[in-house]
Amino acid sequence: MHLGKVIGTLTPCVVYTGLEGVPLLLIQPLNPQQAPAGSPFVAADTTRMCGRGELIYYESSREAALALEPWFVPVDHAIIGIVDNVKLTDYPVERSDD
Amino acid sequence: MQLGKIRGAIHSTINHSFYNGRKLLIVDYLDYKSKPTGEYVIAVDTVGTGAGETVLVIDEGNSARQIVDRANAPVRAVIVGVVDQISTRD
């Protein structure tokens, strides 16, 4: 799982069976310091409570589909939860030299 | 499995039911020289680790589901061990 931020919502007019009523949100992936890291993508919202600008954590690949009910649906990213707070321990992080 | 270092934790009350009461830790991946590779993952803690410890992380769904013993759990990254020592012969 990784951190992300909800930056938009999506309303499909036609959707695959099993995905009716599942909210689709636009997510900007973040690094632990909550800076953007990677390009935005669309994720299914399993909590059904996410709003714009919220800090979330998401899962990808088969585990994303498993988070939904019914789970045998074609989904590759799913929001697993809304983050209340992130506690980072700051220790010197030297980057690897390769 | 991969080497990682616990960088912090996240707390969440609104989440998928599987994650209720589970500890979610932010793990920085390390290379075999214990240097951060820049990648990170949020993993479920199953061995009771704390900040700054070097750990072993599995990032594969099938193994993760066997470890948490739940057939259809939406989990992939799991912390499975604490590393005491790494010795390599260069």
Side-chain angles (χ1 to χ4, degrees):
Chain A
M1 286 189 301
H2 292 88
L3 289 174
K5 183 175 184 170
V6 178
I7 56 171
T9 56
L10 226 77
T11 311
C13 57
V14 177
V15 79
Y16 193 80
T17 51
L19 283 176
E20 299 87 359
V22 174
L24 296 176
L25 301 176
L26 206 56
I27 304 296
Q28 166 60 55
L30 304 176
N31 63 19
Q33 290 78 24
Q34 298 177 36
S39 47
F41 55 83
V42 178
D45 179 11
T46 62
T47 65
R48 287 175 165 74
M49 288 186 232
C50 285
R52 200 186 299 259
E54 290 211 83
L55 185 64
I56 54 100
Y57 51 105
Y58 63 89
E59 187 55 277
S60 48
S61 74
R62 181 169 184 259
E63 284 65 43
L66 280 172
L68 285 162
E69 191 46 52
W71 62 268
F72 196 70
V73 282
V75 161
D76 65 348
H77 286 94
I79 295 169
I80 301 292
I82 300 171
V83 176
D84 292 338
N85 78 337
V86 178
K87 202 160 61 71
L88 287 183
T89 54
D90 36 24
Y91 55 83
V93 181
E94 343 79 41
R95 297 301 302 270
S96 56
D97 40 27
D98 49 11
Chain B
M1 284 186 265
Q2 300 203 12
L3 282 173
K5 187 164 192 165
I6 308 285
R7 185 65 199 288
I10 66 170
H11 304 288
S12 157
T13 42
I14 300 172
N15 49 0
H16 185 276
S17 56
F18 168 77
Y19 287 94
N20 291 341
R22 292 186 192 265
K23 211 162 111 183
L24 293 177
L25 297 175
I26 298 175
V27 181
D28 275 340
Y29 279 132
L30 304 177
D31 60 19
Y32 72 99
K33 292 182 213 144
S34 298
K35 284 224 168 56
T37 61
E39 300 289 322
Y40 81 99
V41 76
I42 299 172
V44 176
D45 179 18
T46 64
V47 290
T49 58
E53 284 188 350
T54 301
V55 291
L56 271 180
V57 182
I58 282 185
D59 190 6
E60 190 269 324
N62 203 11
S63 323
R65 279 185 283 284
Q66 282 178 31
I67 290 167
V68 299
D69 198 15
R70 276 271 297 272
N72 285 336
V75 59
R76 215 173 78 184
V78 178
I79 295 168
V80 292
V82 179
V83 177
D84 291 335
Q85 190 196 359
I86 304 166
S87 57
T88 57
R89 201 164 305 178
D90 278 355

